[in-house]
Amino acid sequence: MGATGDKPSKEAGPAPPPGSGKRPAADLTRLVEPGLAGPPELTGLRRTWARLRRLLFGRAYNLFDPRVFQHVSLVAFLAWVGLGSDGLSSSAYGPEEAFLALGDHRYLALILAMATAVTVFVISASYQQIIELFPTGGGGYLVASKLLGPGPGLVAGCALVVDYILTIAISVASGADAIFSFLPPALLPFKLPFACTVVILLITLNLRGVRESVLVLLPVFLGFVVLHVGLILYGLGTHAERLPDVVTGAYSDSVRTAQELGVLGLAALVLRAYSLGAGTYTGIEAVSNGLPILREPRVETGKRTMRLMALSLAFVAGGILVNYLINDVRPRPGMTLNAVLVEGLVQGWGSLGPLVFLLTLLSEAALLFVAAQTGFLGGPRVLASMAVDSWMPHQFAQLSDRLVTKNGVLLMGVAAFVTILGTAGSVRLLVVLYSINVFVTFSLSLLGTSVHWWQERRADPRWRQRLTVSGIGLLLTGTILGIMLVLKFEEGGWVTVLLTSGLIAACLRIRRHYNQVARVLRGVDEILLQIPFPVAAKGIPDADPKKPTAAIFVSGYNGLGVHTLLNIPRLFGEHFQNFTFISVGVVDSHRFKGVREIANLRRTVEADLKRYVELAHRLGVRANYRFAIGTDVLDEAEQLAQEQMKEMPRSVFFTAKLIFPEETPLTRWLHSQTPVLLQRRLQFAGFSMVILPVRVTV
């Protein structure tokens, strides 16, 4: 991708059977905004920037190489690293919050550990159903949209976007806290700049590509898993004789607490602790949302990744809770419960003990940085899906030449950067804002699957089993959501609700604007695409390179392109003797699903261009076409312009741009500035380009 040798370019063959008749004139002034653009020959500053970009972000991928989809996708193991780190990192604080909430009723931690493991497996099993139902990607946004409707889908999508931003912010801030807890107090003023620098580094890593960012973080993830699994097994093994007493103590504590507080009081105590540890379950949704970046067969890869995540998360979180209990871990000022636990486990290891203690806690800190990767993988996917449905600006669906949704990566990174600055990197404040939204998405997704299995009860013989799994998951996640809203709302959870509501309002405004413009443009299509043009005239010669040529950038066969074709003779008379139709097939996140999809896009683009050529022949003029497939519209369109000028040096380029009664930041943001940018490039390349304004009243 990006190299001209990979670009298909074609001109029309012999003219089709012609007809006769006068050229119809049209006096319409509304056009469809073309999706075009192009790359020039690099000189000076642009060549320097191209080299710097390649150094930072890597070489562009070739879309037409069948191996590219294999290279950028993730096998189950790497997906577990990239998407499972958020859940595993929560074991650094989730079990601790739950255990501390029990107070003096410590033996109830055994019930809590079992409840945590069961919850992980139930949510995981529910999301394996979602993976089967949505094999091309079934994150909470798509699930709620398809199964419950666009309204619940919008709520789920906005909740996920805010939650992914907070995932990045709290992971980086927590990691910075852990790192600076080992450093001299004099360095504390540098903690906030350090956290911001980490966010910038993660942005750069993710702009290089998904696989590259995961491979860089792989050693950290494996180090955490090996150290924590080893210490949990060691702690359980060295105190195995206490396990019967722990079970007996848990039963006695439950009975005693029920007598003191009543059954409802006991339930309230356990549910409160269970809910405060809910951060443990965040990140499970990321696998179903990240299916498009998984290796084929995606459904099986996704299910294997989900099983790996569930097993590792249930074992680590549950194992830590049980170890707190059997090792009699007590809070100590200036230390986390995990630190107290590890310190106690490695006592008596001689000089190896302090090293293992340091490495274990450092691995926790480092994994928190890795956990931010979940936000960079999941957030842009949600934004891209919402952009396809016009809830978000359409540019969030665009891919870079490294085949990542670069605008989404930048938005998530910048928003997390601002969040860290706004909260001064305070984990205490961020943890209040965090994890509410993920349970909004959990609940809506599982409600959608429950409704689906009920509706399919006559068609699917296994509907009862499937409905039971998703129903139990809905009950668990809905309960956690309700308790968390009550407990966290006044402590600062209202900020999360306010931010999510504001994003929902913005999405509604964006969708309304796009719908208004679409209605206007549909009207243009209905008028122009139904004009009874004459039968193609006979004997139309091929395009003459020596004659003046109107090169028209088009985006699909629509009223815009037809209107442009009809208005050039109206504006310039008989000056242009040839017409060339130019188009760029844009590979965005919606189409980036394999070589077959790229081939389908190529056929569609070429078929639309042939229709333009046929229409030009019906109007009695010479015509040909050329096109390219790529991710960067400007670069591809400019390269096509270069090729056009070499073959037909008397070409003048035409395109169109939507104009509104009042240009606002919203209209400039929601609609491509490609025509203006392309005109600037072509002007400096010595080519002439005319932009036809398109009046749109909305």
Side-chain angles (χ1 to χ4, degrees), residues 99-181:
F99 188 75
L100 291 176
L102 293 175
D104 294 331
H105 304 281
R106 301 167 55 82
Y107 279 99
L108 295 179
L110 186 61
I111 298 175
L112 209 56
M114 291 187 292
T116 298
V118 169
T119 302
V120 170
F121 286 124
V122 169
I123 296 177
S124 173
S126 301
Y127 268 87
Q128 287 190 60
Q129 295 181 5
I130 290 174
I131 289 172
E132 293 177 354
L133 288 173
F134 296 87
T136 59
Y141 166 70
L142 289 176
V143 174
S145 297
K146 299 294 184 184
L147 301 181
L148 298 176
L154 173 62
V155 173
C158 291
L160 267 179
V161 170
V162 173
D163 193 71
Y164 278 132
I165 292 171
L166 291 173
T167 293
I168 298 171
I170 194 172
S171 298
V172 172
S174 299
D177 276 359
I179 292 291
F180 276 78
S181 66

Side-chain angles (χ1 to χ4, degrees), residues 443-674:
S443 300
L444 287 173
S445 298
L446 298 180
L447 174 61
T449 53
S450 299
V451 170
H452 171 78
W453 296 127
W454 176 254
Q455 293 173 339
E456 293 292 313
R457 63 189 182 278
R458 292 184 177 86
D460 191 334
R462 299 177 58 196
W463 71 272
R464 285 188 177 87
Q465 175 187 344
R466 295 173 182 270
L467 178 59
T468 299
V469 172
S470 57
I472 294 174
L474 174 61
L475 177 63
L476 291 174
T477 57
T479 300
I480 295 173
L481 174 61
I483 295 174
M484 289 180 66
L485 282 174
V486 172
L487 293 178
K488 289 189 174 183
F489 189 82
E490 291 186 357
E491 297 178 6
W494 62 270
V495 176
T496 301
V497 175
L498 182 63
L499 289 173
T500 306
S501 301
L503 184 58
I504 291 172
C507 289
L508 289 170
R509 178 69 183 89
I510 290 170
R511 177 76 169 263
R512 185 176 68 177
H513 176 84
Y514 277 135
N515 286 343
Q516 289 172 334
V517 173
R519 278 196 300 270
V520 172
L521 300 179
R522 278 197 301 270
V524 175
D525 288 350
E526 290 172 0
I527 294 173
L528 289 178
L529 298 184
Q530 295 179 8
I531 295 177
F533 292 104
V535 179
K538 293 182 179 180
I540 298 178
D542 293 339
D544 185 352
K546 298 180 181 179
K547 300 291 185 181
T549 301
I552 306 171
F553 287 104
V554 295
S555 177
Y557 187 77
N558 48 42
L560 166 71
V562 174
H563 174 266
T564 307
L565 171 63
L566 298 178
N567 271 273
I568 290 174
R570 182 179 69 85
L571 296 171
F572 297 94
E574 303 292 328
H575 175 72
F576 293 105
Q577 302 298 305
N578 306 313
F579 284 82
T580 298
F581 299 96
I582 305 175
S583 186
V584 175
V586 180
V587 181
D588 57 19
S589 62
H590 183 62
R591 290 187 177 272
F592 184 65
K593 298 174 182 177
V595 175
R596 182 178 302 175
E597 191 68 25
I598 303 298
N600 291 338
L601 174 62
R602 177 175 179 170
R603 284 192 293 269
T604 300
V605 171
E606 189 167 14
D608 286 341
L609 290 172
K610 287 179 178 179
R611 295 179 69 184
Y612 279 115
V613 170
E614 181 183 357
L615 176 57
H617 288 166
R618 289 187 176 192
L619 300 177
V621 296
R622 303 181 179 101
N624 58 14
Y625 68 87
R626 64 176 67 246
F627 69 97
I629 305 297
T631 58
D632 192 309
V633 184
L634 272 173
D635 284 348
E636 300 296 340
E638 188 179 358
Q639 181 62 46
L640 289 173
Q642 296 276 357
E643 296 171 2
Q644 173 71 14
M645 291 302 294
K646 289 178 181 178
E647 296 181 19
M648 309 185 80
R650 298 188 65 186
S651 295
V652 174
F653 297 93
F654 290 86
T655 188
K657 185 182 186 305
L658 295 179
I659 60 170
F660 299 87
E662 293 184 6
E663 287 288 332
T664 65
L666 180 66
T667 59
R668 287 192 291 270
W669 188 40
L670 297 184
H671 296 281
S672 173
Q673 302 302 310
T674 295

Side-chain angles (χ1 to χ4, degrees), residues 226-279:
V226 170
L227 286 168
H228 282 71
V229 169
L231 286 171
I232 288 171
L233 290 174
Y234 176 78
L236 294 175
T238 54
H239 296 80
E241 72 282 355
R242 290 198 58 194
L243 288 177
D245 295 336
V246 168
V247 175
T248 304
Y251 175 76
S252 302
D253 199 8
S254 300
V255 173
R256 185 171 58 256
T257 305
Q259 292 173 345
E260 294 174 358
L261 305 177
V263 176
L264 291 179
L266 171 63
L269 175 65
V270 174
L271 283 175
R272 182 176 184 275
Y274 173 71
S275 299
L276 287 175

Side-chain angles (χ1 to χ4, degrees), residues 170 177 425-433 491:
I170 194 172
D177 276 359
S426 170
V427 175
R428 177 169 294 181
L429 178 56
L430 286 168
V431 79
V432 174
L433 307 180
E491 297 178 6

Side-chain angles (χ1 to χ4, degrees), residues 418-437:
V418 172
T419 301
I420 290 175
L421 284 180
T423 59
S426 170
V427 175
R428 177 169 294 181
L429 178 56
L430 286 168
V431 79
V432 174
L433 307 180
Y434 183 56
S435 76
I436 292 177
N437 276 0

